[in-house]
């Protein structure tokens, strides 16, 4: 049986967990180009070596992070997400683009 | 004057367990609890206390429950008069018999006493306005509640659960959020007097499977279903 240690619940059978994808620092969603944002949301590096990944303990719906060596499939450590996310992230809407209401020459009123 | 039969009590109630048909097939006698019903005993109820002390399974799904989650939850709940366990995955009993399980630093599960009249849940649920960063979880609707009790309960659970739940390893008041017979659930050791007892809260949509699986696992140890009266008598 393969075990994974949940930071909240302790060591559990790997079948109690769901993989949640690679962890990447989030770029500033208001400044970043669409391409870079799409890469952050959809694309994986699929690196060979030590990576940080999201995992979820399904029985408690607890999301946490794990350092895993993708070559040896060794879990090096698991840790709660608040080690990285120290404050709440709010998605403030981008300011509305200003519309120039003055008609240009040749345009009807 | 017409009398109400036990079956009418079960069918007329506003709220009934998802296991209602299983109970009817096992000749259950129901009792009314506010707007719901619960199995009082099966058949005549003779010998159910002894059965519960040996190995019994009871369905308390219709008893009140509540849940709260969010960063503001611990301070708010303490302000409402609840005595919270300090550590996550621990549970304690309030003065009125309400079970309070702390599932993480910021998540609580409340379950009623065996009379179905939990002042703590009534008071905390009536406070309609939750403060910021406190979110209500509909535990009465989303989850069912089974109680597995008796001296053989740990042996039964060892057949269906990977966590070591033997009494000398898993103390009274400990909580395990884990897989039980392949169903995710919250398991709380909450002894009834001297009788070893585990409360299992799991997704209500798969409760018939879990009920059948546990009864099947219990058969080896001569366990069977018991009503709520046997739990009260423990």
């Amino acid at each position: 049986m393969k075990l994974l240690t949940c930071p909240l619940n302790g060591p559990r059978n790997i079948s109690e967990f769901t993989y949640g994808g690679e962890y990447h620092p989030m770029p500033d969603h208001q400044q970043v180009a669409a391409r870079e944002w799409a890469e952050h949301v959809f694309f994986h590096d699929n690196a060979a070596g030590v990576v940080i990944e999201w995992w979820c303990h399904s029985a408690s719906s607890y999301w946490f992070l794990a350092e895993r060596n993708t070559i040896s499939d060794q879990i090096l450590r698991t840790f709660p997400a608040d080690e990285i996310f120290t404050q709440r992230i709010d998605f403030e809407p981008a300011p509305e683009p200003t519309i120039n209401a003055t008609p240009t020459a040749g345009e009807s009123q | 004057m017409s009398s109400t039969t036990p079956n009418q009590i079960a069918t007329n109630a506003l709220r009934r367990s998802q296991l209602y048909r299983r109970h009817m097939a096992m000749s259950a006698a129901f009792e009314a609890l506010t707007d719901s019903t619960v199995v009082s005993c099966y058949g005549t109820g003779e010998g159910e206390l002894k059965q519960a002390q040996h190995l019994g399974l009871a369905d308390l799904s219709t008893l009140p429950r509540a849940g709260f989650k969010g960063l503001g939850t611990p301070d708010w709940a303490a302000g409402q008069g609840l005595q919270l366990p300090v550590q996550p995955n621990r549970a304690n009993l309030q003065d009125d018999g309400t079970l309070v399980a702390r599932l993480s630093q910021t998540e609580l599960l409340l379950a009623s006493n065996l009379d179905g009249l939990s002042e703590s849940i009534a008071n905390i649920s009536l406070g309609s306005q939750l403060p910021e960063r406190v979110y209500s979880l509909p535990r009465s609707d989303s989850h069912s509640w089974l109680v597995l009790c008796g001296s053989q309960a740990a042996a039964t659970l060892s057949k269906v659960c990977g966590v070591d739940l033997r009494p000398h390893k898993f103390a009274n008041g400990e909580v395990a959020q884990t897989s039980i017979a392949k169903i995710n659930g919250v398991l709380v050791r909450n002894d009834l007097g001297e009788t070893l007892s585990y409360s299992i809260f799991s997704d209500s949509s798969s409760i018939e499977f879990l009920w059948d699986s546990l009864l099947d696992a219990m058969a080896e140890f001569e366990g069977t279903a018991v009503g709520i009266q046997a739990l009260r008598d423990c």
Side-chain angles (χ1 to χ4, degrees):
Chain A
M1 184 191 294
K2 190 165 183 179
L3 297 178
L4 182 59
T5 302
C6 170
L8 176 63
N9 297 286
R12 292 294 161 85
N13 190 333
I14 194 88
S15 65
E16 290 191 20
F17 296 90
T18 307
Y19 173 68
E22 292 171 2
Y23 163 74
H24 299 127
M26 187 179 75
D28 182 341
H29 70 290
Q30 289 183 1
Q31 306 294 326
V32 79
R35 167 83 195 177
E36 200 181 328
W37 181 251
E39 281 189 9
H40 169 70
V41 175
F42 298 112
F43 295 169
H44 286 185
D45 289 341
N46 199 23
V50 176
V51 298
I52 299 179
E53 298 169 330
W54 284 105
W55 284 82
C56 178
H57 181 242
S58 307
S60 57
S61 303
Y62 179 78
W63 284 95
F64 61 94
L65 293 156
E67 263 181 33
R68 186 172 71 95
N69 188 327
T70 56
I71 301 171
S72 60
D73 197 22
Q74 254 189 322
I75 312 270
L76 304 175
R77 78 175 183 118
T78 55
F79 55 100
D82 59 15
E83 270 191 28
I84 291 178
F85 297 92
T86 52
Q87 59 184 17
R88 183 186 170 93
I89 297 174
D90 282 313
F91 288 85
E92 296 295 336
E96 290 290 326
T98 51
I99 299 166
N100 187 354
T102 312
T104 51
E107 205 174 22
S108 64
Q109 289 274 353
Chain B
M1 189 178 134
S2 67
S3 62
T4 311
T5 67
N7 284 4
Q8 282 172 323
I9 292 177
T11 33
N12 292 345
L14 286 175
R15 181 179 176 81
R16 63 191 185 200
S17 165
Q18 294 87 353
L19 292 166
Y20 152 72
R21 290 179 186 82
R22 298 279 201 284
H23 300 324
M24 297 285 270
M26 295 169 75
S27 310
F30 294 89
E31 66 176 64
L33 280 181
T34 58
D35 64 344
S36 66
T37 61
V38 66
V39 175
S40 178
C41 62
Y42 294 90
T44 61
E46 197 182 336
E48 272 202 5
L49 172 58
K50 272 195 168 176
Q51 182 67 55
Q53 288 166 340
H54 174 68
L55 182 58
L57 181 65
D59 172 26
L60 305 186
S61 297
T62 48
L63 269 62
R65 293 183 292 290
F68 300 93
K69 188 173 189 172
L71 280 177
T73 299
D75 289 343
W76 168 76
Q80 300 287 314
L82 291 182
Q83 306 289 322
L84 304 186
V86 178
Q87 297 286 328
N89 282 325
R90 292 286 188 283
N92 62 17
L93 281 177
Q94 308 296 298
D95 292 339
D96 64 353
T98 304
L99 181 71
V100 174
R102 189 167 196 164
L103 303 184
S104 73
Q105 280 297 349
T106 58
E107 182 174 351
L108 299 175
L109 167 64
L110 280 62
S112 154
N113 59 25
L114 294 176
D115 294 326
L117 299 166
S118 164
E119 282 177 28
S120 304
I121 294 178
N123 294 343
I124 212 163
S125 303
L126 282 175
S128 52
Q129 283 295 318
L130 292 176
E132 261 190 46
R133 299 193 180 177
V134 179
Y135 310 98
S136 175
L137 303 172
R139 294 288 192 180
S140 278
D141 304 311
S142 62
H143 283 59
S144 56
W145 178 10
L146 302 182
V147 170
L148 184 69
C149 61
S151 56
Q152 299 302 306
T156 304
L157 284 169
S158 70
K159 294 170 73 177
V160 293
C161 182
V163 178
D164 191 349
L165 299 168
R166 290 174 297 169
H168 62 286
K169 293 282 185 182
F170 192 75
N172 194 19
E174 282 201 59
V175 176
Q177 302 177 68
T178 186
S179 172
I180 305 138
K182 303 284 183 190
I183 303 291
N184 286 330
V186 177
L187 188 145
V188 183
R189 181 174 163 196
N190 177 28
D191 289 356
L192 302 162
E194 298 289 304
T195 306
L196 178 66
S197 171
Y198 301 91
S199 281
I200 301 169
F201 304 92
S202 68
D203 190 337
S204 56
S205 61
S206 40
I207 186 58
E208 288 180 317
F209 173 81
L210 183 59
W211 174 263
D212 291 348
S213 301
L214 288 174
L215 283 179
D216 187 50
M218 290 161 67
E220 178 185 343
F221 306 104
E222 296 170 337
T224 185
V226 296
I228 194 170
Q229 193 54 49
L231 305 187
R232 291 181 185 134
D233 293 342
C234 276

